[in-house]
Structure formats: structure tokens, C-alpha cells
Amino acid sequence: MSKGRDVSDFYPHVVKLVGAPSLEVRKMVYMYLVQYADHDDTTRELSLLSINAFQRGLADSEQLIRALALRVLSSIRINDILQIQILGVQKCSQDHSPYVRKCSANALVKLGPRTDQEDDPTQFQMLVDILQTLLDQD
């Protein structure tokens, strides 16, 4: 992957490691998932299976795990999970950790261009409300 080769054939095997206990392995798996999540139809379907692991990560007791899960969840470019991504950002914007709140502000920048204001204005309004919440906190 680092040499520019297409390694999307390994996607089904790598997705199984999304819940690995090792943080270093998990970080590498997350990078791989972000890179190939929308590569083709098969990887899109398998990516949907990994969303549950990211949602569990958002509820972890460690702030670094919560922030990492949010960064990866918001980086996956699949329109089917946009509402889940917005809800994850909303949850993390109210986190007690400033680091997690910072990551939720960064996630707003990623999700903003993907919301379609004409088809579903409520999603964009949710992002604006989250931003307002973040600005009012500190």
C-alpha cells in the first residue's frame, strides 16, 4: 500500500482485524479501511460491517480510542453511513475530553461537503447545530 500497489484484494481479511486488541494493529487496519472503503461494491459492503466496531470505539473509556474511532469513522466516504457519522460527531462533541471535542470539530469539516443541502437540509442543519454546541462550550 505504501508503494502505490493496489492491495484491495486483502480487504475481507483486514476487516476481520478491526477489533484487534493491539492498538498498533488497530491503527494500521483503520488506515487500510479508510484507503479502500469505497474502492468497489464489495469493499463498501464489508465496510458497513465494520461500522459497529467504530461505534463501540466511540464509547471506549480511553480518550485516544474515542478520538481515533471518530477520525476513522468520519473519513470513510460512503454515503450510506452519513447519518451514523453525524450522530457519532454529535456524541463526541459533548465529550468531556477536549481532544475528542477537537476531533469532532475536525470531523465536521470532512462531513460538511458531503451533505446535500437540497435533498436533505436536516443533515446540514445538524452539523451547524453541532458546531454551535462546540463554540458555546469553551
Side-chain angles (χ1 to χ4, degrees):
M1 189 165 104
S2 65
K3 298 192 185 250
R5 295 185 183 132
D6 181 20
V7 291
S8 62
D9 294 338
F10 299 113
Y11 200 84
H13 305 290
V14 175
V15 168
K16 294 176 186 175
L17 297 172
V18 76
S22 169
L23 183 60
E24 294 304 315
V25 171
R26 198 181 298 185
K27 285 180 183 179
M28 289 187 287
V29 168
Y30 287 177
M31 285 190 315
Y32 182 88
L33 290 177
V34 168
Q35 181 70 27
Y36 291 106
D38 62 344
H39 183 71
D40 58 22
D41 289 337
T42 305
T43 58
R44 277 187 211 97
E45 289 177 21
L46 290 172
S47 298
L48 294 177
L49 298 175
S50 66
I51 299 303
N52 191 28
F54 299 124
Q55 289 178 318
R56 280 194 311 267
L58 293 177
D60 196 273
S61 61
E62 182 65 38
Q63 70 176 355
L64 294 176
I65 301 293
R66 290 193 307 270
L68 179 63
L70 180 63
R71 283 196 313 263
V72 173
L73 182 64
S74 63
S75 295
I76 295 175
R77 298 171 303 272
I78 299 175
N79 287 333
D80 297 339
I81 62 167
L82 184 59
Q83 189 65 32
I84 295 171
Q85 292 169 320
I86 292 172
L87 292 174
V89 172
Q90 186 177 35
K91 178 181 179 181
C92 289
S93 69
Q94 300 166 355
D95 198 276
H96 63 277
S97 167
Y99 181 65
V100 176
R101 290 195 308 265
K102 180 190 92 163
C103 289
S104 68
N106 289 336
L108 289 174
V109 177
K110 296 177 198 174
L111 299 180
R114 292 183 41 217
T115 58
D116 191 2
Q117 296 179 25
E118 286 132 18
D119 285 348
D120 192 1
T122 58
Q123 289 180 337
F124 186 76
Q125 186 58 43
M126 285 178 72
L127 294 179
V128 171
D129 293 342
I130 294 168
L131 180 61
Q132 188 64 44
T133 300
L134 287 168
L135 292 172
D136 288 344
Q137 284 178 351
D138 291 329

